[in-house]
Amino acid sequence: MTEIILCEKCGEEAHFNDTYCAYCGANLKIQKNAWKAINEPNNTTNLILDGQFLEAYYDLTAKLKNLENIDLGFDQHQQYFKQLSIELQASQEKLNTFHNFTEKELKDVEDLKKITWKSIKAGVKGNKDDLLKKEEAEYLNALNREESLKQDILELQKRYSIAKTEIEHLSRLKKQKYDYNIQLIRLIDQVCEGVPDPIEDKIEADLLQLKNQLQPISAERINLKNALGHISNAQQHFQFTLNKLGSAKGLSDWDTFFGGGFLADSMKHSRMSEARNGVQQAQRSLNRAYQLVPSLPKIRGAQVEEMNMFWDTFFDNIFSDLNAREKIIRSRHSVEQAFYETQQASQWLNSRIVEKQQIFQGINSKIQSKRQDLIRERKRMIENALKQQ
């Protein structure tokens, strides 16, 4: 009776002798070899470890062993440094308040010593000396509080400086650890890549599959972000167009109801020309966005209607003015609709970008996890090879 196994990719049943899954096409040979390697471990290896590799390998692993707790130490010192920064800032703000109060007390003392309205009033009442003693005592008390706070700040500044130096030192060590890790990974990759190992082969196949999943997501995310930029440009051009149409309507109202004459007609047509240019630029931006994201929600093209400048200027009357005014109003409504639809498209793009970002981060997290699995497996291969030497 033929042995039945389950495909790890889709979960469907397959015959043990099958090479590929009939349902999803997954390579069953890799899965079976990995299963055998786990359940029937083979300690033999084809790795060739020369003296140069071993020297570099032992050196890097020893350095990483010495730095294994550096991340925790950095995080703890960083929290301590942030707390000191907050305390120092609060103390300096408090010192400014104390200094202002001390200055006020000093002014009260000086006012009593000089000929001022305050000293004259105290002299008339006959309590100038008592009041002066009181103000001097308050001034000395404020001065003592300020000096005491200054000493506290000096102590805080010393602790802050020491903590800053320690953080900088730990940052350098953390960077060293990262560099050592990269060097070790490259060293391991060089010696293990291409060497047959069922578990490693399966991890590499999974890693390749994840990377292939990530590529289209990454490309689509970039297209969405670029399309959003073009949509934002279109919104700016539509806003510019609406401003020009608003100005043109104001001139048209003046020309229609108050007789603006040749000057109003000329300015009105100039604003309409600028508005048409704004719509053309907006449409170019929209076309670029649709080239990147064809599924973008439909945005109806805005239209700024043409006006007959010759007729409106040289045969100026109430009917031509009203006709021009209606064209401006219709054009403005058309652009407002397009502007609203670009806002909707912008929201749609933002939601899609968030969605793709979440998918991207999820796959990327799996890639990083799988990459760590590959590193661990290759380290195991090296350890097995070392035992055989």
Side-chain angles (χ1 to χ4, degrees), residues 68-86:
E68 63 181 352
N69 295 323
I70 199 67
D71 293 327
L72 178 61
F74 178 83
D75 292 341
Q76 291 174 343
H77 276 78
Q78 193 173 44
Q79 291 177 359
Y80 173 67
F81 181 71
K82 287 180 179 178
Q83 184 61 37
L84 279 179
S85 300
I86 294 171

Side-chain angles (χ1 to χ4, degrees), residues 114-169:
K114 297 175 183 177
I115 301 176
T116 61
W117 176 245
K118 185 175 182 179
S119 65
I120 292 172
K121 282 175 64 179
V124 171
K125 292 182 178 180
N127 62 346
K128 181 177 179 179
D129 291 339
D130 293 338
L131 189 58
L132 181 59
K133 288 180 182 179
K134 178 185 175 184
E135 294 294 347
E136 286 176 340
E138 290 177 352
Y139 166 67
L140 289 174
N141 184 43
L143 191 61
N144 287 333
R145 285 195 301 170
E146 183 180 347
E147 290 300 321
S148 175
L149 186 56
K150 282 181 180 179
Q151 293 301 318
D152 292 342
I153 289 176
L154 285 174
E155 182 62 30
L156 270 175
Q157 286 174 336
K158 289 179 183 177
R159 290 162 56 195
Y160 177 87
S161 179
I162 294 171
K164 185 179 180 181
T165 302
E166 184 66 19
I167 280 289
E168 291 171 351
H169 174 65

Side-chain angles (χ1 to χ4, degrees), residues 12 86 174 183 200 246 274:
E12 295 291 340
I86 294 171
K174 192 174 180 181
Q183 292 174 34
E200 185 205 31
E274 291 174 325

